[in-house]
Structure formats: structure tokens, C-alpha cells
């Protein structure tokens, strides 16, 4: 080629073309740091950014269109990348640069989906610490997700440990103050909690108590806390009362671990079954004694549909049931007439409508005093009957024998659990030391894990049975005391809650053979109730008491 040709054609170096392409390539720098990543190799996000800027300078990437820094953002949430996706769709990015593949995220499915999205739009991805390898990346994504899962389990274990020690407390419950990680009585509100329980045991419903507290101008829990970041209720409502009455913390028991995350990939939570909650008794000073709390819980379980806002309800409110339709019976108060119960379905729908299926009922009217007298008469007869003392002592003896047996079983199971855990640790140690291959470890570990889980369930069952036996023993002793108190001082709401399941009221021609068998009625009393109507008093831990309307 002569001089003229050299002037006509300019020779371009291949490296110049590559450098020019790098210069024109539109680069987005992405940095991410989160708490779950801070457990090791912690660095400031600015350090990550400066590292990538230095890398761009070294590689010749001068056209940096955006630097995105997601500080304290979890790698499992890929919604954070929505803005980057929008930029890609608009054709504004040619290359995404990150420190390493874990910065993209720690969800394998989402990470692979994002890589596919980049490929579809012709966008490259590059890492500082290693070259992007499409064949290796799925494996890296798997290990990144596994890391999150392992970290999540560690965090759960740490939190559970704190809960089991009673050292985990988010905020103080109404009636208490938070001092460090402990609850101490708040004298300004503890008396309100006591008042709520007292009113409920006297027969007041949720709404009646809420109305009373509002009328007495007692501040609601949210008003008392006066948190500017949370809504405030000026008046008490039934929900406030219900939450306090059902909260076991007032017995001195710390209850935690009620909820759990649906998955380590999600922020959503779900409520756990009550038998999985963590409960620590005698963790702090109680406001309500255990006996009162249990009485209230038993009363709550009964479906009471009648809750007056001002008048004190009947001692039997929520315990009286219509024998025909099964609905709760309402207390009716009228001037110059004795208080009486009538069927709730009749109260709402009127008399039976034979042309409309399951519509209406009959009144089943019965005087409150008649039921009270029948209950007192039954208790007096039981206390005079020598068979009652025999029955009572026999039940207590059976309970003690069963409890001894269950305690022995529990000790044996706990010993077995310790042995199985030791075996598991030995197998795991052998695996780490290379004494056994992975496939043998996996087989033995699976077998021991199953045995450990079965033993744990058996321990839980034994503990529950012991608790149940303790509860039966305590309840029977309470019932015996309550019956004697009724004989001396008359009926109280607490005593009724301990003694009664319900009172069933029948009109004539309503009781069936099914009830005869269920309540073990003899032919004479069954025929009396069938022909004339009557009541069945369904007692706890004892045979039922029945009375026909002829004797009411």
C-alpha cells in the first residue's frame, strides 16, 4: 500500500473499538447491604459503592447512568428491583454491575427469573469478585438462599431462647410498665384490670363493662399510653374488655411466640396454635390470681348472647339453654313481675312458623328464682348424700394415681430424649471428622431426627396430661368448696361457673330418647318431663339433676 492509499484508508486498532464500546456502554451500579448480611464480613454500603466505581475506572466504564444503593434491604424481597426493571424496559441500561451474585438477592427462584429478564432485554450482568457464569449461577443462587434460611433459623433460635428465659418483651401490657425486659405493676392502671375481672365474675358482659368504664371516665389503654404514632380510642369498647379478660399475662405468666413468619422469604406472619406458645409462669407480679382467671375463661367459653349495658345481669345469664332449639335464653325484666328467662329464638323470631322451616320457637318461660332454688336444692341434697363424699374421694384418688404414673413416664421420656440427642451429636461429629460418609450420616440423622421428634411429642402429651390431672384435682377441690359456700351463703356467679355446664329448659313433648340416654334419666322422670316439661341441670364432674315442671 503506497502513501496515497494510507491517506485514503485509516487503519483502526481493534483495541480502540473495544475501548470505545466500553466508553459508550451504559452502566448501572447496584449496591445492597442488609442486617442478615451483616452477621459476617460487614462493610458500609459506601465502601461497596467506592469499590465498584474503582472497578469501572479500571475497566473503562465511564458512562455510569445510575448508582442505586439499597441500605438495610433484605435479599429475599425482589420488589426493590422494580425501578431497575422499568429502566431496562425503557432501554436505558446495557450493563448492571454488582459486587457479587449475593447482592442481587437471596431467593433462587426470583434471582433466576431476574437473570432471564436481563437476557430477554439484552442487558449484561457483571460482578466485581468473579465473572458471571450462566452455568454456575443457579448453584450460587441456591447457596445464597440457603444462607438466608440458615440465618433465619439462627435468629429464631436466639429469639426463642430469649422468650424461654422471659427476656423478650416488645411493650408493656395495660396494667404494667416496662422496665428493661421485665414487667412491673403500674399502680395507675392495675386496679382497672382488677375491676374488669371483678365486674365480669359478677355477671357483667363486655359491653356492660365497657359502658361502665367510659361513664366513670377511666382512660382507655391507648389514651393512657398517649403514643402519638398510634390511634387513640376515647371510649372503651367490648374488644378492649375482651382482650384484657383473655390475657394470661395478668396471672404473672409471660406469653410469647404467638405468631411466626409464613416463610423466611416473606414478611407475612400467621398465628400459631396455643399449644405452641411459650409460657413462663411466675415471670412477674400478677394482678389477677390464677383461680379467678380460670373461672373467667370458663365463663367466656359459654355462648352468652345477652349483655345489658346498664342493669346487672342474672347470675345464670349464659347458662340457660332452650331444650327445643338449643339457643341461649334471655333474661326478661318487667315491672311488678318476677324475672324470667325466655328462649332467645322466640324473642327474636316469635312463635313457631310451621310453613317456614326452622323459624321461631315457643317461649319456654321459666322464673329465675325457680332455677336458683332447684340448683340450691340439688346441692343441699348432694352434700347430705354419703355417696357424694365417696365419689369425691374416689375421683381425687384416681387422679393422684394417674399423676404418679404420668410423672414416671415423663422422666423416662426426658431421659430417652437426652440419649437420642447425644447420639445425634456423636453422628454429626463423626461426619465432620470424616469418619462416616455423607450418605450414612444422612440416613442416621434422619432416623434420629424422627425418633427425637416422636419423643418430643410424647413428652408434650405427658406434660399436657399432667396439667389436665392437676386441673381436675384443683377444680374438684374448688367445686367442693363452692358447694359448701352455696349451702352457707347462697349462689354466686363464681360458684355457678365452677359447678354448671348449663341448664336446659323443656316444654312438654320436647325431650327425646337421645336426652334420656345422654343424661341417664330413669323412666319415671323422663315421662314426667316429656308430659309436663321441666329442666335438666347439667353439672360438672357429677350426675345430672332433673326436675319436672310439676315440682318447680
Amino acid at each position: 500500500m503506497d502513501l496515497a492509499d494510507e491517506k485514503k484508508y485509516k487503519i483502526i486498532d481493534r483495541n480502540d473499538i473495544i475501548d470505545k464500546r466500553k466508553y459508550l456502554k451504559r452502566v448501572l451500579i447496584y449496591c445492597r447491604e442488609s442486617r442478615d448480611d451483616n452477621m459476617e464480613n460487614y462493610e458500609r454500603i459506601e465502601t461497596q459503592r467506592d469499590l465498584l466505581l474503582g472497578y469501572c475506572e479500571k475497566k473503562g466504564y465511564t458512562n455510569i447512568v445510575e448508582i442505586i444503593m439499597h441500605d438495610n434491604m433484605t435479599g429475599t424481597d425482589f420488589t426493590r428491583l422494580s425501578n431497575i426493571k422499568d429502566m431496562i424496559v425503557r432501554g436505558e441500561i446495557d450493563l448492571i454491575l454488582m459486587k457479587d451474585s449475593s447482592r442481587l438477592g437471596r431467593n433462587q427462584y426470583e434471582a433466576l427469573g431476574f437473570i432471564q429478564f436481563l437476557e430477554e432485554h439484552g442487558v449484561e450482568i457483571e460482578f466485581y469478585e468473579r465473572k458471571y457464569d450462566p452455568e454456575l449461577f443457579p448453584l450460587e443462587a441456591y447457596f445464597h438462599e440457603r444462607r438466608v434460611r440458615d440465618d433465619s433459623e439462627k435468629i429464631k433460635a436466639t429469639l426463642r431462647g430469649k422468650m424461654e428465659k422471659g427476656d423478650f418483651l416488645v411493650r408493656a401490657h395495660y396494667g404494667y410498665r416496662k422496665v428493661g425486659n421485665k414487667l412491673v405493676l403500674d399502680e395507675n392502671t392495675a386496679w382497672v384490670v382488677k375491676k374488669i375481672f371483678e365486674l365480669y365474675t359478677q355477671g357483667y358482659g363486655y359491653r356492660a363493662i365497657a359502658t361502665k368504664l367510659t361513664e366513670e371516665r377511666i382512660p382507655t389503654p391507648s389514651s393512657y399510653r398517649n403514643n402519638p404514632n398510634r390511634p387513640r380510642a376515647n371510649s372503651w369498647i367490648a374488644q378492649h374488655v375482651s382482650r384484657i379478660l383473655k390475657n394470661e399475662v395478668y396471672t404473672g405468666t409471660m406469653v410469647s411466640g404467638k405468631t411466626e413468619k409464613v416463610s423466611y422469604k416473606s414478611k407475612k406472619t400467621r398465628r400459631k396454635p396455643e399449644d405452641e406458645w411459650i409460657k413462663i409462669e411466675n415471670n412477674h407480679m400478677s394482678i389477677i390470681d390464677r383461680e379467678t382467671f380460670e373461672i373467667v375463661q370458663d365463663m367466656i367459653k359459654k355462648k352468652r348472647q345477652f349483655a345489658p349495658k346498664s342493669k346487672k345481669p342474672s347470675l345464670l345469664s349464659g347458662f340457660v339453654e332452650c331444650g327445643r332449639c338449643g339457643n341461649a335464653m334471655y333474661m326478661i325484666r318487667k315491672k311488678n313481675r318476677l324475672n324470667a328467662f325466655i328462649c332467645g329464638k322466640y324473642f327474636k323470631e316469635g312463635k313457631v312458623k310451621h310453613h317456614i322451616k326452622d323459624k321461631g320457637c315457643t317461649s319456654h318461660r321459666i322464673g329465675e328464682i325457680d332455677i336458683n332454688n332447684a340448683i340450691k336444692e340439688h346441692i343441699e341434697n348432694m352434700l347430705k348424700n354419703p355417696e357424694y363424699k365417696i365419689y369425691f374421694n374416689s375421683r381425687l384418688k384416681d387422679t393422684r394415681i394417674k399423676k404418679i404414673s404420668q410423672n414416671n413416664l415423663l422422666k423416662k421420656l426426658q431421659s430417652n430424649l437426652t440419649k437420642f440427642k447425644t447420639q445425634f451429636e456423636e453422628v454429626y461429629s463423626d461426619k465432620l471428622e470424616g469418619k462416616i460418609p455423607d450418605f450414612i450420616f444422612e440416613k442416621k440423622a434422619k432416623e434420629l431426627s424422627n425418633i427425637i421428634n416422636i419423643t418430643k411429642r410424647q413428652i408434650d402429651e405427658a406434660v399436657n396430661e399432667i396439667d389436665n390431672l392437676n386441673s381436675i384435682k384443683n377444680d374438684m377441690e374448688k367445686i367442693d368448696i363452692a358447694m359448701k359456700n352455696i349451702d352457707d351463703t347462697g349462689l354466686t356467679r363464681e360458684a355457678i361457673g365452677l359447678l354448671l355446664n348449663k341448664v336446659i329448659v323443656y316444654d312438654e313433648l320436647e325431650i327425646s330418647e337421645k336426652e334420656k340416654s345422654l343424661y341417664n334419666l330413669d323412666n319415671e322422670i323422663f315421662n314426667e318431663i316429656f308430659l309436663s316439661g321441666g329442666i335438666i341441670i347439667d353439672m360438672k364432674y357429677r350426675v345430672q339433676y332433673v326436675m319436672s315442671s310439676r315440682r318447680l
Side-chain angles (χ1 to χ4, degrees), residues 35-96:
R35 285 195 184 99
D36 56 318
D37 295 319
N38 292 347
M39 291 183 176
E40 59 183 60
N41 299 327
Y42 173 73
E43 65 179 5
R44 292 171 61 249
I45 196 167
E46 290 80 8
T47 304
Q48 198 177 130
R49 176 201 61 194
D50 295 342
L51 190 72
L52 294 176
L53 285 172
Y55 178 82
C56 287
E57 185 177 353
K58 180 180 177 181
K59 297 285 286 187
Y61 297 146
T62 57
N63 189 13
I64 300 172
V65 295
E66 187 78 59
I67 299 176
I68 295 180
M69 300 169 65
H70 283 160
D71 197 11
N72 196 23
M73 279 199 178
T74 176
T76 57
D77 183 9
F78 273 68
T79 57
R80 60 194 157 79
L81 301 177
S82 57
N83 289 340
I84 296 177
K85 283 187 172 182
D86 291 340
M87 293 177 69
I88 291 171
V89 171
R90 293 194 299 267
E92 298 174 2
I93 304 170
D94 298 314
L95 171 69
I96 296 179

Side-chain angles (χ1 to χ4, degrees), residues 297-522:
Q297 302 320 297
D298 191 54
M299 292 166 65
I300 288 173
K301 287 177 184 176
K302 300 183 178 298
K303 296 180 180 179
R304 289 184 307 281
Q305 301 176 16
F306 181 60
K309 294 184 179 180
S310 56
K311 293 181 180 179
K312 181 178 177 180
S314 164
L315 294 174
L316 292 166
S317 178
F319 288 90
V320 188
E321 180 182 292
C322 174
R324 182 181 185 277
C325 66
N327 276 262
M329 296 185 67
Y330 289 0
M331 168 65 76
I332 299 297
R333 293 180 174 89
K334 291 187 177 180
K335 288 184 177 180
N336 303 321
R337 293 189 66 178
L338 294 175
N339 295 339
F341 284 94
I342 67 168
C343 171
K345 190 176 181 68
Y346 170 82
F347 182 80
K348 292 178 181 178
E349 302 175 7
K351 294 181 179 180
V352 176
K353 314 290 193 297
H354 294 290
H355 61 288
I356 303 176
K357 186 178 179 181
D358 195 31
K359 188 75 173 178
C361 194
T362 56
S363 71
H364 291 75
R365 186 185 184 94
I366 183 170
E368 178 188 28
I369 192 170
D370 293 327
I371 301 178
N372 288 350
N373 289 339
I375 293 171
K376 289 176 68 177
E377 179 184 332
H378 175 48
I379 290 170
E380 288 170 2
N381 291 337
M382 282 185 68
L383 290 173
K384 292 174 183 176
N385 191 339
E387 289 185 6
Y388 166 72
K389 200 66 181 176
I390 295 171
Y391 165 82
F392 180 79
N393 290 333
S394 174
R395 284 296 302 271
L396 285 180
K397 183 179 178 181
D398 289 345
T399 302
R400 283 196 294 268
I401 292 171
K402 288 178 181 177
K403 185 179 174 182
I404 292 170
S405 175
Q406 285 296 318
N407 277 323
N408 291 335
L409 174 62
L410 179 60
K411 289 178 183 178
K412 183 178 178 180
L413 289 170
Q414 289 172 334
S415 175
N416 289 342
L417 181 62
T418 301
K419 180 178 70 176
F420 296 141
K421 285 183 174 180
T422 301
Q423 291 176 4
F424 188 92
E425 290 171 0
E426 289 173 352
V427 170
Y428 184 68
S429 178
D430 288 345
K431 186 247 185 187
L432 292 178
E433 294 174 6
K435 294 180 180 180
I436 57 173
D438 287 348
F439 75 93
I440 293 179
F441 166 74
E442 290 175 1
K443 181 182 178 182
K444 289 188 175 181
K446 186 176 181 180
E447 290 173 356
L448 286 169
S449 293
N450 289 336
I451 294 172
I452 288 170
N453 289 332
I454 291 170
T455 307
K456 283 181 177 179
R457 285 197 295 271
Q458 291 173 335
I459 288 173
D460 289 340
E461 289 170 2
V463 170
N464 289 337
E465 181 61 20
I466 291 170
D467 289 343
N468 183 49
L469 291 169
N470 286 332
S471 177
I472 291 173
K473 177 178 177 292
N474 293 337
D475 284 352
M476 290 195 67
E477 290 173 348
K478 292 175 191 174
I479 286 169
D480 190 50
I481 294 170
M483 289 176 66
K484 291 172 181 175
N485 287 342
I486 287 174
D487 194 38
D488 294 336
T489 61
L491 287 175
T492 63
R493 182 73 177 182
E494 295 92 327
I496 289 171
L498 278 170
L499 297 171
L500 285 186
N501 284 322
K502 57 186 174 181
V503 177
I504 309 105
V505 181
Y506 293 96
D507 276 348
E508 64 273 9
L509 308 180
E510 283 184 349
I511 194 168
S512 68
E513 291 288 340
K514 182 180 178 181
E515 282 85 8
K516 179 183 178 182
S517 174
L518 179 64
Y519 298 114
N520 194 28
L521 307 180
D522 60 39

Side-chain angles (χ1 to χ4, degrees), residues 266-302:
S266 171
K267 292 183 179 179
K268 292 182 179 179
T269 59
R270 62 186 167 206
R271 192 172 181 83
K272 295 165 67 176
E274 187 172 350
D275 57 4
E276 295 181 15
W277 295 357
I278 298 171
K279 297 185 179 183
I280 305 172
E281 296 182 355
N282 302 317
N283 182 73
H284 50 270
M285 189 173 290
S286 65
I287 296 177
I288 304 299
D289 62 83
R290 172 59 66 173
E291 182 179 350
T292 301
F293 182 79
E294 294 299 340
I295 290 172
V296 167
Q297 302 320 297
D298 191 54
M299 292 166 65
I300 288 173
K301 287 177 184 176
K302 300 183 178 298

Side-chain angles (χ1 to χ4, degrees), residues 159-201:
L159 289 177
R160 186 173 184 85
K162 289 183 178 180
M163 291 177 186
E164 290 173 347
K165 293 177 182 177
D167 292 336
F168 184 78
L169 182 63
V170 178
R171 64 180 180 85
H173 298 262
Y174 183 73
Y176 290 99
R177 292 183 294 108
K178 182 181 177 182
V179 178
N181 282 322
K182 295 295 181 182
L183 291 175
V184 297
L185 287 184
D186 183 351
E187 299 297 338
N188 294 324
T189 54
W191 69 272
V192 182
V193 175
K194 286 183 180 179
K195 183 182 181 72
I196 290 171
F197 275 84
E198 287 170 2
L199 289 171
Y200 196 81
T201 56

